Amino acid sequence: MPELPEVEVVRRGLEKWVVGASFGEVEVLHPRAVRRHAPGAADFAARVSGCGVTEARRRGKYLWLTLDSGEALLAHLGMSGQLLVQPRHAAAERHLRVRLPLTARQGHDPEAPQELRFVDQRTFGHLLVDRLVDDGTGTGLPSVISHIARDPLDPAFDEDAFAAALCRKRTELKRALLDQSLISGIGNIYADEALWMSQLHWATPTEALSRSQVATLLAAVREVMVAALAQGGTSFDSLYVNVNGESGYFARSLNAYGRNDQPCARCGTPIQRETFMNRSSYSCPRCQPRPRHARA
């Protein structure tokens, strides 16, 4: 599942190539791609066609294009969704779900028309049109994601409020990090990496954390995400790419995730894999010992 760095890489590509353009006649090729748009595919196409794009924004793992109609085109990439900017004459991808033709924007060649394409092999991702609500800072936010918390790279992220809410959770630390209503954008990969960097075990009870441990953890989360952004995100297969179809390379820099039985980069102890919420969690048993007071 793409996490904050991967979605931010896509957002930056949309900002570069799509903001300032307008959509032509939108074509929905697979209704499942707009299944969360309750009025249906025809309404989705009608509400996007002809609209200009004024902004490309993101909260956590969700991104959206602000339209000059006053609404937002919201995208969630799911497991395999891709937003690609392609020449309009380029051959259709095998799993192309929605075509959104683009008018030429300033600085682009009008003789080489482009289109935004939503490609999704597993069809777990989706697009929808939604109204914007005030997020508390005077900025528009799609109403359907108003419950999603700010992410740690958001300038308006409140570290003190997060620390207090985290300690009230009374749950395992990693479970709290994956709670998008508490802090958004963190998934399994970057949770493991941040926990390794801050030398905290995933099962640490949140109520046992000190304020300094929370500060260290947040610093680690930010450092890991900024490093991943610099390398274009993490790609383990061809399903995550940016808007130009290029994969990220942060997988080569991972210290914990997916490194079962490989030596810890800090102490040399083999990284261990444990089952967590029907998925895997990776940690160093020496640098990140399981706390004695961890929940069973």
Side-chain angles (χ1 to χ4, degrees):
M1 180 78 76
E3 301 179 29
L4 184 155
E6 291 75 43
V7 177
E8 175 63 14
V9 167
V10 174
R11 189 205 66 79
R12 291 178 182 182
L14 294 173
E15 186 172 63
K16 179 178 179 181
W17 295 102
V18 178
V19 171
S22 296
F23 290 119
E25 197 69 27
V26 172
E27 184 180 6
V28 177
L29 304 174
H30 196 302
R32 183 167 168 78
V34 295
R35 66 190 180 281
R36 300 288 180 87
H37 185 81
D43 181 83
F44 172 87
R47 285 164 69 176
V48 177
S49 297
C51 287
V53 181
T54 61
E55 289 180 299
R57 304 203 50 172
R58 176 192 56 75
R59 175 165 287 193
K61 303 174 187 180
Y62 289 86
L63 60 87
W64 67 93
L65 299 174
T66 304
L67 307 177
D68 61 7
S69 64
E71 294 186 302
L73 170 56
L74 179 70
H76 190 271
L77 300 180
M79 293 292 291
S80 59
Q82 301 170 352
L83 285 168
L84 305 175
V85 177
Q86 299 279 44
R88 206 174 297 175
H89 58 75
E93 292 80 5
R94 180 179 179 186
H95 302 289
L96 176 60
R97 307 306 187 192
V98 182
R99 289 181 183 270
L100 302 102
L102 298 168
T103 62
R105 46 175 280 187
Q106 187 174 2
H108 288 196
D109 183 0
E111 300 302 318
Q114 296 178 315
E115 65 182 8
L116 179 63
R117 297 178 176 181
F118 182 59
V119 178
D120 192 359
Q121 176 179 326
R122 298 171 182 168
T123 63
F124 291 155
H126 65 270
L127 305 179
L128 63 84
V129 178
D130 190 29
R131 64 186 177 89
L132 292 168
V133 296
D134 191 335
D135 71 349
T137 65
T139 303
L141 177 73
S143 65
V144 294
I145 61 167
S146 59
H147 65 289
I148 300 293
R150 294 186 183 276
D151 65 67
L153 299 186
D154 189 322
F157 182 83
D158 189 330
E159 190 165 320
D160 291 331
F162 167 75
L166 178 66
C167 293
R168 288 197 303 268
K169 272 287 184 181
R170 304 186 67 83
T171 188
E172 297 163 331
L173 179 53
K174 185 174 178 181
R175 190 181 297 269
L177 289 177
L178 300 182
D179 181 349
Q180 302 298 296
S181 66
L182 179 66
I183 184 171
S184 67
I186 305 174
N188 206 35
I189 297 173
Y190 297 116
D192 280 357
E193 292 301 297
L195 289 168
W196 179 88
M197 185 175 290
S198 55
Q199 300 188 52
L200 291 167
H201 191 273
W202 61 265
T204 301
T206 54
E207 67 272 19
L209 291 169
S210 67
R211 185 64 181 81
S212 63
Q213 286 178 310
V214 175
T216 298
L217 175 62
L218 280 175
V221 168
R222 291 183 176 117
E223 184 174 341
V224 166
M225 289 187 167
V226 169
L229 274 170
Q231 297 184 48
T234 302
S235 297
F236 290 107
D237 54 31
S238 62
L239 296 182
Y240 164 66
V241 294
N242 65 17
V243 296
N244 300 119
E246 300 163 337
S247 297
Y249 295 98
F250 191 67
R252 302 174 185 178
S253 305
L254 295 174
N255 288 301
Y257 185 85
R259 291 178 51 81
N260 189 38
D261 293 332
Q262 297 182 49
C264 170
R266 191 164 41 221
C267 73
T269 303
I271 295 292
Q272 68 178 5
R273 173 191 172 276
E274 297 176 273
T275 300
F276 168 78
M277 292 176 61
N278 296 319
R279 62 186 89 179
S280 297
S281 196
Y282 298 87
S283 61
C284 173
R286 182 176 180 183
C287 297
Q288 303 166 261
R290 186 182 182 94
R292 290 191 299 273
H293 47 291
R295 289 175 174 79

